[in-house]
C-alpha cells in the first residue's frame, strides 16, 4: 500500500475554523501540534478522497491507526506523531478519536438529529481542543467549554460547506429532522441558491449553533497558559463572526468565509480583548453548558 500522504488533496477551507498551529502558540509546542495537525489532515483527505472506494479508505485509516500505535513505520504522519507524543509521554487517545470520525465520514452519509451531529463532533472536533489543552498541561475541567467551542466550529464548517459536501461527497450533516421541520429537502443542497425552506433551515441551525458557541465562551478565561488563552479568544472571535454571517447569508449562493481583512480584524479584536481581560484579572464568564462524555 502506498503512503497515505500521497492522497493529500490540499484542501484549505477549514483552516480558518481550526487554526491549531497558530503563530501565537509557544514555539516549544509547535512541532507536536503540527505533527497532530498533519496526521489529522491526512486522515481527513483519505476520508474525502474523490476516487478511492470505501473499503480502501477504511484500510488506509486502519493503517494510520496501527502505525500510530507502533505497528509499522511506512506512514510518515503516523510515525512522526507517534514519536512526538512519546517524547512528551502523551497517549494517542485524541488522534485515535478523530479516526473514529473519519471512519464515520466513509460509512455514514446522513444524520437524523442534532444529537447525532453532536456525537459526530465528539470525535471530529472535540479531540482537537482536548489535545491542545493536554499539550499545554491544562485541567480537564476546561474540556466542557472546549467541547462546546470545537463542536460549534465544526458545525459552522458544516453549514458553510453544505452545498459542496453534498455535491462532491454526497454527505449531508444537516439533520433530517431539521430539514423536515422547515419543509426543505436534501436535494435542494444541489441548487445554486437556497429556496426559502432551505434558507430557513440553514439559518435556524446557525442560530442553534450560536447558542452552542456561547457555551464555550468561558474557555479562554479558564485556560492558565497566556498564549493558548489568547489563541482561543481569537478562534472564538472568528467563530462568532462566521455564525453571524450564516444567520443572514445563503451558503449555497455565496461564500461564507472570512476574508484576509476580516481575519486580521477579528484576530486583533480577540487578542486585545483577552490581553485586556487578563491584565485586569476579570474572571471567566460562567455559562450553562451541555455535558459531553470524556
Amino acid at each position: 500500500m502506498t503512503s497515505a500522504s500521497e492522497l493529500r488533496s490540499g484542501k484549505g477551507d477549514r483552516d480558518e475554523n481550526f487554526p491549531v498551529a497558530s503563530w501565537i502558540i509557544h514555539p516549544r509546542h509547535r512541532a507536536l501540534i503540527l505533527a497532530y495537525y498533519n496526521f489529522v489532515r491526512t486522515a481527513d483527505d483519505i476520508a474525502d478522497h474523490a476516487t478511492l472506494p470505501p473499503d480502501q479508505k477504511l484500510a488506509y485509516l486502519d493503517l494510520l491507526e496501527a502505525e500510530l500505535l507502533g505497528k509499522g513505520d511506512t506512514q510518515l504522519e503516523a510515525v512522526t506523531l507517534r514519536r512526538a507524543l512519546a517524547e512528551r509521554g502523551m497517549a494517542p487517545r485524541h488522534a485515535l478519536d478523530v479516526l473514529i470520525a473519519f471512519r464515520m465520514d466513509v460509512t455514514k452519509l446522513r444524520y437524523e438529529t442534532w444529537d447525532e451531529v453532536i456525537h459526530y463532533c465528539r470525535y471530529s472536533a472535540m479531540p482537537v481542543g482536548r489535545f491542545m489543552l493536554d499539550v499545554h498541561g491544562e485541567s480537564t475541567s476546561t474540556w466542557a467549554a472546549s467541547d462546546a467551542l470545537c463542536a460549534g466550529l465544526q458545525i459552522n464548517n458544516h453549514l458553510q460547506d453544505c452545498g459542496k459536501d453534498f455535491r462532491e461527497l454526497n454527505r449531508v450533516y444537516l439533520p433530517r429532522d431539521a430539514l423536515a421541520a422547515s419543509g426543505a429537502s436534501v436535494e435542494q443542497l444541489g441548487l445554486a441558491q437556497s429556496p426559502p425552506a432551505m434558507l430557513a433551515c440553514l439559518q435556524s441551525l446557525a442560530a442553534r449553533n450560536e447558542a452552542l458557541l456561547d457555551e464555550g465562551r468561558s474557555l479562554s478565561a479558564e485556560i492558565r497558559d497566556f498564549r493558548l488563552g489568547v489563541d482561543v479568544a481569537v478562534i472564538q472571535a472568528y467563530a462568532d463572526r462566521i455564525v453571524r454571517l450564516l444567520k443572514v447569508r445563503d451558503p449555497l449562493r455565496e461564500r461564507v468565509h472570512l476574508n484576509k481583512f476580516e481575519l486580521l480584524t477579528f484576530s486583533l479584536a480577540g487578542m486585545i480583548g483577552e490581553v485586556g481581560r487578563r491584565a485586569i484579572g476579570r474572571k471567566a464568564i460562567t455559562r450553562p453548558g451541555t455535558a459531553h462524555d470524556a
Side-chain angles (χ1 to χ4, degrees):
M1 182 176 286
T2 59
S3 171
S5 59
E6 296 177 24
L7 305 175
R8 296 296 298 271
S9 66
K11 301 191 304 297
D13 285 350
R14 197 181 57 178
D15 293 357
E16 75 186 34
N17 290 3
F18 288 95
V20 295
S22 167
W23 59 268
I24 300 172
I25 296 298
H26 196 285
R28 70 173 176 270
H29 299 308
R30 288 180 192 160
L32 174 56
I33 291 169
L34 284 171
Y36 181 82
Y37 176 81
N38 287 330
F39 179 88
V40 170
R41 288 307 301 267
T42 297
D44 186 21
D45 286 345
I46 291 168
D48 289 355
H49 198 278
T51 59
L52 272 183
D55 60 338
Q56 288 189 30
K57 292 181 178 182
L58 293 174
Y60 271 112
L61 293 171
D62 288 346
L63 179 60
L64 284 177
E65 177 172 316
E67 298 209 356
L68 178 64
L69 295 174
K71 303 169 185 175
D73 296 297
T74 65
Q75 305 302 307
L76 176 63
E77 291 81 4
V79 174
T80 301
L81 178 57
R82 184 181 79 211
R83 291 172 177 168
L85 288 169
E87 288 177 3
R88 290 287 194 97
M90 291 178 62
R93 62 177 298 186
H94 304 307
L96 296 174
D97 277 353
V98 294
L99 290 178
I100 294 173
F102 295 131
R103 292 186 179 101
M104 291 173 67
D105 280 337
V106 175
T107 60
K108 184 177 178 66
L109 299 178
R110 301 290 186 271
Y111 290 80
E112 300 298 325
T113 65
W114 177 267
D115 286 344
E116 280 194 13
V117 175
I118 294 296
H119 176 73
Y120 171 79
C121 293
R122 162 63 185 88
Y123 295 100
S124 68
M126 296 180 194
V128 177
R130 295 178 181 191
F131 169 78
M132 291 292 288
L133 292 166
D134 280 1
V135 167
H136 287 81
E138 298 291 335
S139 168
T140 56
S141 66
T142 59
W143 282 14
S146 175
D147 288 352
L149 174 58
C150 289
L153 292 168
Q154 180 72 83
I155 294 169
N156 268 357
N157 184 252
H158 288 166
L159 296 173
Q160 288 170 297
D161 295 339
C162 59
K164 184 177 73 171
D165 286 341
F166 175 68
R167 292 190 304 270
E168 297 182 4
L169 301 167
N170 188 30
R171 195 181 295 155
V172 179
Y173 297 102
L174 309 183
R176 285 187 198 264
D177 62 354
L179 290 165
S182 297
S185 68
V186 166
E187 291 72 26
Q188 291 172 348
L189 290 170
L191 300 175
Q193 179 173 333
S194 293
M198 176 58 74
L199 189 60
C201 177
L202 292 169
Q203 293 180 350
S204 69
L205 289 171
R208 187 167 188 176
N209 197 44
E210 187 174 44
L212 180 61
L213 287 167
D214 279 345
E215 293 179 19
R217 196 167 302 283
S218 64
L219 179 59
S220 62
E222 293 177 17
I223 289 171
R224 294 170 303 187
D225 185 272
F226 174 78
R227 284 174 176 254
L228 181 61
V230 172
D231 195 47
V232 166
V234 170
I235 293 170
Q236 182 83 48
Y238 292 169
D240 290 343
R241 174 58 177 168
I242 289 169
V243 81
R244 286 195 296 270
L245 293 175
L246 287 165
K247 288 171 63 181
V248 298
R249 290 187 184 176
D250 177 6
L252 296 189
R253 185 174 60 87
E254 53 194 325
R255 191 173 186 270
V256 188
H257 291 266
L258 302 185
N259 59 40
K260 290 181 179 179
F261 175 76
E262 289 174 314
L263 286 169
L264 176 60
T265 299
F266 290 100
S267 293
L268 291 173
M271 286 188 287
I272 291 169
E274 182 60 15
V275 170
R277 186 201 64 76
R278 288 176 181 258
I280 64 176
R282 182 156 49 87
K283 299 296 183 182
I285 300 170
T286 302
R287 295 179 180 269
T290 302
H292 302 293
D293 59 311

